[in-house]
PDB file of all heavy atoms in Angstrom:
ATOM      1  N   THR A  12      16.652  -6.881  12.446  1.00  0.00           N
ATOM      2  CA  THR A  12      16.708  -5.462  12.839  1.00  0.00           C
ATOM      3  C   THR A  12      15.431  -4.743  12.451  1.00  0.00           C
ATOM      4  O   THR A  12      14.880  -3.962  13.228  1.00  0.00           O
ATOM      5  CB  THR A  12      17.914  -4.778  12.161  1.00  0.00           C
ATOM      6  OG1 THR A  12      19.092  -5.470  12.527  1.00  0.00           O
ATOM      7  CG2 THR A  12      18.009  -3.328  12.601  1.00  0.00           C
ATOM      8  N   SER A  41      23.379  10.770  34.904  1.00  0.00           N
ATOM      9  CA  SER A  41      22.036  10.236  35.113  1.00  0.00           C
ATOM     10  C   SER A  41      21.578  10.552  36.515  1.00  0.00           C
ATOM     11  O   SER A  41      22.347  10.591  37.461  1.00  0.00           O
ATOM     12  CB  SER A  41      22.038   8.722  34.886  1.00  0.00           C
ATOM     13  OG  SER A  41      22.921   8.109  35.792  1.00  0.00           O
ATOM     14  N   ILE A  68     -20.848  16.978  11.788  1.00  0.00           N
ATOM     15  CA  ILE A  68     -20.508  15.661  11.245  1.00  0.00           C
ATOM     16  C   ILE A  68     -21.317  14.575  11.945  1.00  0.00           C
ATOM     17  O   ILE A  68     -21.741  13.590  11.335  1.00  0.00           O
ATOM     18  CB  ILE A  68     -19.001  15.384  11.395  1.00  0.00           C
ATOM     19  CG1 ILE A  68     -18.196  16.411  10.594  1.00  0.00           C
ATOM     20  CG2 ILE A  68     -18.644  13.972  10.958  1.00  0.00           C
ATOM     21  CD1 ILE A  68     -18.494  16.401   9.114  1.00  0.00           C
ATOM     22  N   PHE A 109      -7.179 -20.701  17.762  1.00  0.00           N
ATOM     23  CA  PHE A 109      -7.039 -19.459  18.530  1.00  0.00           C
ATOM     24  C   PHE A 109      -8.385 -18.898  19.018  1.00  0.00           C
ATOM     25  O   PHE A 109      -8.464 -18.410  20.147  1.00  0.00           O
ATOM     26  CB  PHE A 109      -6.298 -18.409  17.708  1.00  0.00           C
ATOM     27  CG  PHE A 109      -4.838 -18.696  17.553  1.00  0.00           C
ATOM     28  CD1 PHE A 109      -4.306 -19.002  16.310  1.00  0.00           C
ATOM     29  CD2 PHE A 109      -3.994 -18.684  18.644  1.00  0.00           C
ATOM     30  CE1 PHE A 109      -2.960 -19.276  16.152  1.00  0.00           C
ATOM     31  CE2 PHE A 109      -2.650 -18.958  18.514  1.00  0.00           C
ATOM     32  CZ  PHE A 109      -2.127 -19.256  17.263  1.00  0.00           C
ATOM     33  N   MET A 110      -9.417 -18.952  18.194  1.00  0.00           N
ATOM     34  CA  MET A 110     -10.702 -18.394  18.621  1.00  0.00           C
ATOM     35  C   MET A 110     -11.207 -19.096  19.875  1.00  0.00           C
ATOM     36  O   MET A 110     -11.681 -18.464  20.823  1.00  0.00           O
ATOM     37  CB  MET A 110     -11.727 -18.518  17.498  1.00  0.00           C
ATOM     38  CG  MET A 110     -11.483 -17.573  16.340  1.00  0.00           C
ATOM     39  SD  MET A 110     -11.705 -15.830  16.799  1.00  0.00           S
ATOM     40  CE  MET A 110     -13.481 -15.764  16.989  1.00  0.00           C
ATOM     41  N   THR A 146      -1.892  -9.424   6.591  1.00  0.00           N
ATOM     42  CA  THR A 146      -1.469  -8.023   6.605  1.00  0.00           C
ATOM     43  C   THR A 146      -2.182  -7.317   7.748  1.00  0.00           C
ATOM     44  O   THR A 146      -3.418  -7.323   7.812  1.00  0.00           O
ATOM     45  CB  THR A 146      -1.815  -7.322   5.281  1.00  0.00           C
ATOM     46  OG1 THR A 146      -1.102  -7.957   4.219  1.00  0.00           O
ATOM     47  CG2 THR A 146      -1.421  -5.845   5.328  1.00  0.00           C
ATOM     48  N   GLU A 149      -5.554  -1.345   9.524  1.00  0.00           N
ATOM     49  CA  GLU A 149      -6.769  -0.815  10.135  1.00  0.00           C
ATOM     50  C   GLU A 149      -7.983  -1.189   9.289  1.00  0.00           C
ATOM     51  O   GLU A 149      -7.943  -1.134   8.056  1.00  0.00           O
ATOM     52  CB  GLU A 149      -6.644   0.703  10.269  1.00  0.00           C
ATOM     53  CG  GLU A 149      -7.808   1.333  11.001  1.00  0.00           C
ATOM     54  CD  GLU A 149      -7.639   2.842  11.131  1.00  0.00           C
ATOM     55  OE1 GLU A 149      -6.529   3.339  10.847  1.00  0.00           O
ATOM     56  OE2 GLU A 149      -8.620   3.518  11.505  1.00  0.00           O
ATOM     57  N   ASP A 261      -7.445   1.656 -15.766  1.00  0.00           N
ATOM     58  CA  ASP A 261      -8.851   1.269 -15.606  1.00  0.00           C
ATOM     59  C   ASP A 261      -9.384   1.707 -14.251  1.00  0.00           C
ATOM     60  O   ASP A 261     -10.571   1.995 -14.108  1.00  0.00           O
ATOM     61  CB  ASP A 261      -8.998  -0.251 -15.726  1.00  0.00           C
ATOM     62  CG  ASP A 261      -8.505  -0.772 -17.063  1.00  0.00           C
ATOM     63  OD1 ASP A 261      -9.252  -0.684 -18.043  1.00  0.00           O
ATOM     64  OD2 ASP A 261      -7.359  -1.268 -17.105  1.00  0.00           O
ATOM     65  N   ALA A 301      -6.207  14.726  -7.212  1.00  0.00           N
ATOM     66  CA  ALA A 301      -7.432  14.097  -7.710  1.00  0.00           C
ATOM     67  C   ALA A 301      -7.652  14.393  -9.191  1.00  0.00           C
ATOM     68  O   ALA A 301      -8.035  13.507  -9.968  1.00  0.00           O
ATOM     69  CB  ALA A 301      -8.630  14.562  -6.888  1.00  0.00           C
ATOM     70  N   ASP A 428     -27.347  38.380   5.942  1.00  0.00           N
ATOM     71  CA  ASP A 428     -26.680  37.935   4.721  1.00  0.00           C
ATOM     72  C   ASP A 428     -25.914  36.627   4.916  1.00  0.00           C
ATOM     73  O   ASP A 428     -25.551  35.977   3.958  1.00  0.00           O
ATOM     74  CB  ASP A 428     -25.681  38.998   4.237  1.00  0.00           C
ATOM     75  CG  ASP A 428     -26.399  40.267   3.809  1.00  0.00           C
ATOM     76  OD1 ASP A 428     -27.532  40.162   3.334  1.00  0.00           O
ATOM     77  OD2 ASP A 428     -25.801  41.338   3.971  1.00  0.00           O
ATOM     78  N   VAL A 507      -1.216  12.016   7.635  1.00  0.00           N
ATOM     79  CA  VAL A 507      -0.006  12.824   7.600  1.00  0.00           C
ATOM     80  C   VAL A 507       0.092  13.590   8.904  1.00  0.00           C
ATOM     81  O   VAL A 507      -0.840  14.272   9.306  1.00  0.00           O
ATOM     82  CB  VAL A 507      -0.061  13.822   6.427  1.00  0.00           C
ATOM     83  CG1 VAL A 507       1.185  14.655   6.409  1.00  0.00           C
ATOM     84  CG2 VAL A 507      -0.202  13.067   5.119  1.00  0.00           C
ATOM     85  N   GLU A 546      23.485  17.293 -15.363  1.00  0.00           N
ATOM     86  CA  GLU A 546      23.905  15.919 -15.626  1.00  0.00           C
ATOM     87  C   GLU A 546      22.734  14.952 -15.606  1.00  0.00           C
ATOM     88  O   GLU A 546      22.855  13.820 -16.060  1.00  0.00           O
ATOM     89  CB  GLU A 546      24.939  15.476 -14.594  1.00  0.00           C
ATOM     90  CG  GLU A 546      24.397  15.400 -13.176  1.00  0.00           C
ATOM     91  CD  GLU A 546      25.436  14.959 -12.189  1.00  0.00           C
ATOM     92  OE1 GLU A 546      26.585  14.776 -12.603  1.00  0.00           O
ATOM     93  OE2 GLU A 546      25.107  14.810 -11.012  1.00  0.00           O
ATOM     94  N   GLN A 569      16.605   7.457 -17.103  1.00  0.00           N
ATOM     95  CA  GLN A 569      16.324   6.652 -15.922  1.00  0.00           C
ATOM     96  C   GLN A 569      17.574   6.410 -15.086  1.00  0.00           C
ATOM     97  O   GLN A 569      17.548   6.506 -13.873  1.00  0.00           O
ATOM     98  CB  GLN A 569      15.718   5.314 -16.347  1.00  0.00           C
ATOM     99  CG  GLN A 569      15.513   4.338 -15.206  1.00  0.00           C
ATOM    100  CD  GLN A 569      14.413   4.784 -14.283  1.00  0.00           C
ATOM    101  OE1 GLN A 569      13.423   5.327 -14.725  1.00  0.00           O
ATOM    102  NE2 GLN A 569      14.594   4.581 -12.993  1.00  0.00           N
ATOM    103  N   VAL A 629       4.409  -1.512 -20.177  1.00  0.00           N
ATOM    104  CA  VAL A 629       4.576  -0.191 -19.567  1.00  0.00           C
ATOM    105  C   VAL A 629       6.043   0.223 -19.602  1.00  0.00           C
ATOM    106  O   VAL A 629       6.369   1.384 -19.884  1.00  0.00           O
ATOM    107  CB  VAL A 629       4.039  -0.187 -18.119  1.00  0.00           C
ATOM    108  CG1 VAL A 629       4.408   1.118 -17.411  1.00  0.00           C
ATOM    109  CG2 VAL A 629       2.528  -0.378 -18.107  1.00  0.00           C
ATOM    110  N   LEU A 717      21.798 -35.522  -9.553  1.00  0.00           N
ATOM    111  CA  LEU A 717      21.472 -34.204 -10.111  1.00  0.00           C
ATOM    112  C   LEU A 717      22.752 -33.469 -10.491  1.00  0.00           C
ATOM    113  O   LEU A 717      23.827 -33.732  -9.945  1.00  0.00           O
ATOM    114  CB  LEU A 717      20.694 -33.361  -9.094  1.00  0.00           C
ATOM    115  CG  LEU A 717      19.266 -33.794  -8.766  1.00  0.00           C
ATOM    116  CD1 LEU A 717      18.724 -32.944  -7.619  1.00  0.00           C
ATOM    117  CD2 LEU A 717      18.343 -33.685  -9.976  1.00  0.00           C
ATOM    118  N   ALA A 776      -4.121 -31.879  11.566  1.00  0.00           N
ATOM    119  CA  ALA A 776      -5.463 -31.854  10.980  1.00  0.00           C
ATOM    120  C   ALA A 776      -5.780 -33.172  10.285  1.00  0.00           C
ATOM    121  O   ALA A 776      -6.888 -33.696  10.387  1.00  0.00           O
ATOM    122  CB  ALA A 776      -5.580 -30.696   9.983  1.00  0.00           C
TER     123      ALA A 776
END
Side-chain angles (χ1 to χ4, degrees):
T12 303
S41 60
I68 298 300
F109 288 114
M110 288 294 289
T146 298
E149 185 179 349
D261 301 279
D428 294 329
V507 180
E546 65 180 3
Q569 174 70 37
V629 171
L717 291 173

